[in-house]
Amino acid sequence: MTTLPGPSAPAVAYERLKTHVLGTTGLAYFHDRDEELESRFRRRMTATACDSHEAYLALLLDVDTGDEELQQLVRLLTVGETYFFRHDEAFSELRTRIIPDIIRSGETRRSIRIWSAACSIGAEAYSIAITLAEHFPNIVRDWDVSILATDINEDYLQTARRGEYEAWALRSVPDEAREAYFERVGARWRVRERYRRLVTFSRHNLVRDEAPTPFDGGGFDLIFCRNVVIYFSAEIVMDLAPRLHAALRDGGWFIVGPAEAGCRAFERFSVVSAPGVVLYQKSDVAARQIPDAASRLDACTPAPPPTPVRPTRGDARRKHTPVPEEKPAEDRMKALIGAGRLEQSLAACEDALRGSRYNAALHLTHALLLQQSGDVKRAESAFRRALFLNRRLVMAQIGLATTLEACGRRREAARMYTGVLRLLEGCPDGDEVEHADGATVHDLRIVAQRRLAGRIAE
């Protein structure tokens, strides 16, 4: 009888190293990217004179050297590209809904505690600080306001503490606002001191560390954790979600990235629909608007939120037709979505469709509302109508994929995710995708790749 050879010792050692690193950092993005991961391992192995995977793993496990070396490796594994006021809709809701609600509920304690988790180079945390200081100056002056910003990458934190940025990070800030919020430092821009003093930066590993606690012992009023969990495995997200929930005060708010809304892991939160964004709140409200379809998927399946109707970027070679002015029915629909009234929003959307049958973006909004209400069959039809009208509508393709997956039609879903990757092929990673509420090509490419990485295949 012939005995088949088992895995080679180097392969086993590599897998042990990979398991330790991904388990420690949560970066499931590298689960099926062995060539990229190995190249990063090799760079650090060369720098530390480790001649094998076993030796490098021993270095990481060493009590005296492991933490510092993990930091060096994390610098190679994480991407810090971000910009100020990313995803306008989220900051609009921060100004008009979330902060006013926090103020109303916090009158007696007169404090606001905000956590920007996985803050990268600090643009998000400073955007929150600017929003507070500019729109609620009396609160910032008279209340005890603090913003904690954390990240696993110490290099990013050092950049954040300096508060100095290239002009590219300020690309969404109008010129007059740029002069008001920042000061010139050579070719760079520094966040003005009155905003920087509101933010404290600290190192924190979302996967391994317990959630921080505000110094006054209470919970946070608001947690931003955007475009983070798409990099984590389903198991890690399921473990992380209750810790984030516990870190909030009762009634506290939780914001994730557009591609992360609808995760089953967030079911313990109440869902609050708003124009172009889904917000979560720690609440005991019984009538939660949790998408039934999404709840049957794994923790990281995206269930896109309802979005406002905006022109869709078509094929660059195709002429763009003028977008007609919005009709009253569409205005009413947007207002109802903003108020979180799902049933009425659906009725208003269907009313708007009677006058705009060939509006692909409106069919997409209809599909997303149906998906959120749990009407999977009708959602599928609506997504297909949107794609019939505009075959390049990426969010309709993703929405159809998640709906098919919810119905157990995994092979069809896999074909849809493959189609998403084809639509995104050749697009710059940093470009925002139309109707994706701030999600970039990179974000949605990761979503599709992770779904195809053996997790939905037969």
Side-chain angles (χ1 to χ4, degrees), residues 308-311 323-332 334 359:
V309 180
R310 294 198 296 259
V323 179
E325 292 184 8
E326 291 172 2
K327 299 178 176 62
E330 294 183 32
D331 291 339
R332 179 171 175 269
K334 287 185 180 183
N359 187 326

Side-chain angles (χ1 to χ4, degrees), residues 289-304:
Q289 296 180 18
I290 295 176
D292 294 337
S295 70
R296 291 194 291 273
L297 306 180
D298 74 65
C300 292
T301 300

Side-chain angles (χ1 to χ4, degrees), residues 120-178:
S120 185
I121 58 175
E124 176 181 87
Y126 286 133
S127 297
I128 297 168
I130 291 169
T131 300
L132 277 167
E134 292 302 307
H135 294 275
F136 305 93
N138 293 344
I139 296 298
V140 171
R141 184 190 65 224
D142 300 333
W143 286 32
D144 183 6
V145 177
S146 67
I147 301 166
L148 174 66
T150 65
D151 201 274
I152 191 175
N153 189 319
E154 186 60 41
D155 279 357
Y156 294 167
L157 293 173
Q158 290 178 15
T159 297
R161 291 184 186 109
R162 288 193 297 270
E164 295 181 10
Y165 300 91
E166 302 288 348
W168 182 240
L170 281 63
R171 59 188 179 271
S172 64
V173 182
D175 289 344
E176 64 275 13
R178 182 179 302 189

Side-chain angles (χ1 to χ4, degrees), residues 4 79 105 108 118 167 258 272 309 373 392:
L4 294 174
V79 178
S105 64
T108 54
V272 180
V309 180
S373 71
R392 300 183 62 81

Side-chain angles (χ1 to χ4, degrees), residues 187-440:
R188 300 167 69 84
W189 295 84
R190 180 190 294 145
V191 179
R192 292 190 182 276
E193 197 275 336
R194 62 177 175 272
Y195 310 121
R196 284 190 285 120
R197 68 187 177 206
L198 295 175
V199 187
T200 301
F201 292 95
S202 179
R203 185 178 160 203
H204 179 267
N205 184 333
L206 275 172
V207 174
R208 190 173 58 185
D209 300 338
E210 289 300 316
T213 302
F215 64 84
D216 58 7
F220 290 99
D221 298 289
L222 168 64
I223 297 176
F224 271 71
C225 189
R226 301 191 300 165
N227 305 306
V228 179
V229 302
I230 57 173
Y231 293 95
F232 293 166
S233 69
E235 295 74 20
I236 287 173
V237 178
M238 291 297 286
D239 177 66
L240 174 63
R243 288 188 277 129
L244 294 171
H245 186 270
L248 284 168
R249 295 185 189 275
D250 290 338
W253 294 83
F254 176 53
I255 303 180
V256 296
E260 299 160 327
C263 287
R264 180 168 60 89
F266 304 144
E267 284 183 347
R268 69 190 63 223
F269 293 94
S270 293
V271 177
V272 180
S273 292
V277 64
V278 168
L279 309 171
Y280 292 103
Q281 191 170 24
K282 182 174 179 177
S283 170
D284 294 328
V285 176
R288 297 182 178 183
Q289 296 180 18
I290 295 176
D292 294 337
S295 70
R296 291 194 291 273
L297 306 180
D298 74 65
C300 292
T301 300
T307 61
V309 180
R310 294 198 296 259
T312 302
R313 178 188 301 167
D315 192 318
R317 294 165 295 183
R318 188 173 60 216
K319 289 184 179 179
H320 294 281
T321 56
V323 179
E325 292 184 8
E326 291 172 2
K327 299 178 176 62
E330 294 183 32
D331 291 339
R332 179 171 175 269
M333 175 197 70
K334 287 185 180 183
L336 288 165
I337 291 174
R341 297 163 65 181
L342 182 58
E343 290 184 13
Q344 295 93 327
S345 298
L346 262 171
C349 186
E350 287 160 5
D351 183 36
L353 278 167
R354 279 189 279 273
S356 304
R357 289 185 301 161
Y358 303 109
N359 187 326
L362 193 53
H363 280 287
L364 172 61
T365 300
H366 187 219
L368 294 170
L369 287 167
L370 288 166
Q371 187 184 58
Q372 193 173 12
S373 71
D375 194 338
V376 179
K377 186 174 181 179
R378 291 180 65 207
E380 178 185 347
S381 297
F383 280 126
R384 290 190 186 280
R385 281 193 292 273
L387 285 169
F388 177 77
L389 292 167
N390 184 349
R391 63 185 178 82
R392 300 183 62 81
L393 201 53
V394 175
M395 290 308 293
Q397 187 97 2
I398 286 183
L400 180 56
T402 63
T403 302
L404 292 169
E405 195 175 350
C407 297
R409 295 154 65 183
R410 294 173 179 266
R411 288 183 178 176
E412 292 177 75
R415 285 198 293 273
M416 291 298 108
Y417 285 120
T418 301
V420 170
L421 293 178
R422 281 199 296 268
L423 287 174
L424 298 176
E425 196 171 275
C427 299
D429 280 356
D431 279 9
E432 293 187 3
V433 177
E434 294 291 344
H435 304 288
D437 310 311
T440 64

